């Protein structure tokens, strides 16, 4: 059974940094897409960053470009999100997602993901 477990969230001041981790387990085949999504209270879920695990190609939403970096450690089956220069508007629950299929849409599309973690809270104060 595939499991995704996020960690690394917390409370920081604006301008600070956090690194989120997503430990994946319970499968032997490589995921095709992995991504980070976030949802703030009263707002829709938003795609933050995604990676095509085979090619390493990445996607970032405009608001985090230049500040966030998505990466993967295949040996550890772990996905990371390095978040620098954090802003109060980055405050949200952050979710890791993964999918085996090469079909179903681009990796930045939440609807293509089958597996989701429970989330880790990120709070940025001004």
């Amino acid at each position: 059974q595939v499991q995704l477990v996020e960690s690394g969230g917390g409370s920081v001041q604006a301008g600070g940094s956090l690194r989120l981790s997503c430990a994946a387990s319970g499968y032997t085949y490589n995921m095709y897409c992995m991504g980070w999504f976030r949802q703030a209270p009263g707002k829709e879920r938003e795609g933050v960053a995604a990676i095509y695990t085979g090619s390493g190609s990445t996607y970032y939403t405009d608001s985090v470009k230049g500040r966030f970096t998505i990466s993967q450690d295949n040996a550890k089956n772990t996905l990371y999100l390095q978040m620098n220069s954090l802003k109060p508007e980055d405050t949200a629950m952050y979710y890791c997602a993964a999918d085996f299929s090469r079909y179903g849409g681009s990796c930045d599309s939440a609807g293509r993901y089958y597996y989701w973690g429970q989330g880790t809270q990120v709070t940025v104060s001004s």
Side-chain angles (χ1 to χ4, degrees):
Q1 182 177 356
V2 176
Q3 285 192 317
L4 303 176
V5 180
E6 302 98 333
S7 62
S11 297
V12 295
Q13 291 191 328
S17 298
L18 286 172
R19 187 176 81 155
L20 305 184
S21 299
C22 172
S25 63
Y27 62 95
T28 55
Y29 296 99
N30 290 333
M31 294 291 180
Y32 182 74
C33 289
M34 296 191 77
W36 289 97
F37 296 80
R38 66 186 180 187
Q39 188 166 19
K43 294 188 177 181
E44 293 187 354
R45 182 173 50 190
E46 173 189 29
V48 177
I51 187 167
Y52 291 80
T53 62
S55 68
S57 296
T58 57
Y59 156 85
Y60 296 94
T61 193
D62 286 345
S63 63
V64 308
K65 285 180 181 177
R67 300 189 298 122
F68 290 12
T69 303
I70 188 171
S71 62
Q72 57 181 346
D73 185 332
N74 291 330
K76 296 181 179 180
N77 282 347
T78 301
L79 182 73
Y80 301 101
L81 185 68
Q82 178 67 45
M83 305 186 296
N84 299 328
S85 302
L86 283 160
K87 303 176 180 180
E89 50 265 42
D90 294 319
T91 295
M93 184 71 79
Y94 283 70
Y95 298 92
C96 171
D99 199 276
F100 289 113
S101 177
R102 64 188 301 115
Y103 306 107
S106 59
C107 288
D108 60 291
S109 173
R112 69 108 65 232
Y113 285 96
Y114 187 80
Y115 300 103
W116 291 83
Q118 294 299 307
T120 185
Q121 178 67 38
V122 172
T123 303
V124 185
S125 58
S126 57

